[in-house]
Amino acid sequence: MTTTLRPTEPLQRNADGTRSRRYRICVNGRPVGAVHLGTHPVFGDAVARLLDLRVEEPDRRRGRGTVAALAAEEVVRGWGCRRIEATVPADAGTALRLTTALGYVVRNRNMDKRLGAVAPPLPEGSAGRPMTEEEFGPWLAEGKDHYAQSWIARGVPQDEARAKAEKDYARLLPEGLATPGTLISVLEHRGAPVGTLWLALREDGAFVYNVLVDAAHRGHGHGRSLMLLAEAQAVAAGQHTIGLNVFAGNTPAERLYESLGYATTQYSLYKQLV
C-alpha cells in the first residue's frame, strides 16, 4: 500500500508572516487522515511546525502516522526548512512515542498546578518584595542571556535564540516593571537578596516566567521558597491555577516542580532536518 500526502488547499500566506498548508493523508487514494504544516512565527521560514497530524480510528496502529510524518518532513524540506517542531499534549502517549521514535527531541514542557484558597507560607526568615528600577536593568540583561542560552543549548542557532529572547521580553514586558499583570519580585532571606521571581497574572491563570536563585545562594532551598512566593502571589490575586515552562535536562527544576504538585500538560519537541 502507498501512503501519500495530497494538498487540500493552496499554500497560505498568513497575517503573522508564516506560511501553512493542509494535506489529506491517503492510502492508495483513500483518505485516512490529515496533516497541517506551517512555518514558525518567531524563527521564520527556516523552521517548520507540525501543527496537526491525525489518522482516522480504523487506520490507526498500521504505520500511517509514521509514514505521514516522514512525508511531512519532505514537504517542509522543499520549503527550505532546516528544522521542524511539534507540540504534543501530555495525555497523547501515542503521539509522543511516534515523534520521539522519528528522532524528535523534547526541548521543554509546560506544567501547571491547581491552587488552593490559602496561600502557602514562606520559610522563616524569607520574604518577597517588589524589584526596584535599579535592580531591573541588570536582571533584564541576565534574564535575556540565560533565556537565549537555554535555546542555544537545545538546537537553536545563536542568532535565532538571541532574536527570540529580545522579541519575547519586549512582548511580555513592554512597560518594564510597570507592565500590567506583571509581578517581578526579589526574595530576601534574613535581609539578604537571594533570588528573583517573574510572575504574570493572566486571564487563564498565573504563569511563572522566570525563577532564578543567585549562584552564591543555591542549594539552600531558595528555589522552593520562590515557587511558594509565586503561589502566594497568585492566590492573593484570585488566581486558581499556576503554570510554567521548564526546559528538558534541567533536572533540579523538574524535580522541584513535581515535588510541589505540578503536572505536565504539554511537550514541545524539535528535529533537525538534514
Side-chain angles (χ1 to χ4, degrees):
M1 294 188 178
T2 302
T3 301
T4 58
L5 299 185
R6 295 186 179 180
T8 59
E9 63 179 0
L11 184 65
Q12 304 296 303
R13 300 283 181 173
N14 304 308
D16 61 358
T18 61
R19 295 179 289 169
S20 65
R21 200 172 194 183
R22 299 178 188 273
Y23 299 81
R24 183 176 294 118
I25 305 171
C26 296
V27 175
N28 292 341
R30 176 175 61 87
V32 300
V35 170
H36 189 195
L37 297 172
T39 54
H40 203 286
V42 176
F43 295 131
D45 282 351
V47 180
R49 292 191 297 166
L50 182 58
L51 298 169
D52 192 26
L53 192 160
R54 300 179 185 275
V55 177
E56 301 299 333
E57 179 59 40
D59 280 271
R60 293 176 184 172
R61 294 170 292 278
R62 297 184 180 183
R64 315 293 195 215
T66 299
V67 177
L70 292 172
E73 292 179 20
E74 291 305 311
V75 169
V76 297
R77 282 191 181 95
W79 292 0
C81 298
R82 60 175 182 267
R83 188 170 76 248
I84 186 168
E85 302 190 352
T87 57
V88 177
D91 58 0
T94 300
L96 185 61
R97 288 191 294 272
L98 168 63
T99 50
T100 53
L102 289 173
Y104 284 74
V105 178
V106 175
R107 173 182 287 144
N108 53 285
R109 55 174 164 149
N110 291 99
M111 306 179 77
D112 69 16
K113 176 181 179 178
R114 187 76 181 174
L115 295 171
V118 179
L122 295 183
E124 182 180 355
S126 294
R129 62 165 175 81
M131 180 176 287
T132 66
E133 287 290 347
E134 291 75 18
E135 293 168 323
F136 179 71
W139 172 86
L140 181 65
E142 182 180 9
K144 287 180 183 179
D145 183 67
H146 184 268
Y147 184 58
Q149 290 297 332
S150 295
W151 287 94
I152 293 168
R154 292 163 180 86
V156 176
Q158 181 170 318
D159 56 342
E160 291 183 19
R162 297 201 177 280
K164 178 173 174 58
E166 291 292 338
K167 185 172 183 178
D168 285 355
Y169 271 74
R171 174 175 56 87
L172 295 168
L173 294 173
E175 299 177 42
L177 290 174
T179 300
T182 298
L183 299 174
I184 302 180
S185 308
V186 174
L187 177 72
E188 293 186 343
H189 184 69
R190 306 199 186 284
V194 296
T196 55
L197 166 70
W198 173 11
L199 181 74
L201 305 174
R202 313 188 305 193
E203 291 185 3
D204 59 345
F207 195 87
V208 178
Y209 277 110
N210 184 272
V211 170
L212 182 63
V213 178
D214 296 342
H217 297 283
R218 291 173 188 167
H220 300 286
H222 298 310
R224 179 175 291 271
S225 297
L226 283 163
M227 293 305 300
L228 293 176
L229 175 61
E231 292 186 26
Q233 291 179 342
V235 170
Q239 301 283 346
H240 301 292
T241 61
I242 187 168
L244 54 85
N245 169 78
V246 59
F247 283 101
N250 189 351
T251 303
E254 292 175 320
R255 289 176 177 168
L256 170 61
Y257 303 145
E258 289 169 353
S259 73
L260 288 169
Y262 286 78
T264 301
T265 58
Q266 178 178 275
Y267 293 94
S268 296
L269 306 96
Y270 73 99
K271 179 179 180 178
Q272 302 292 354
L273 301 174
V274 295

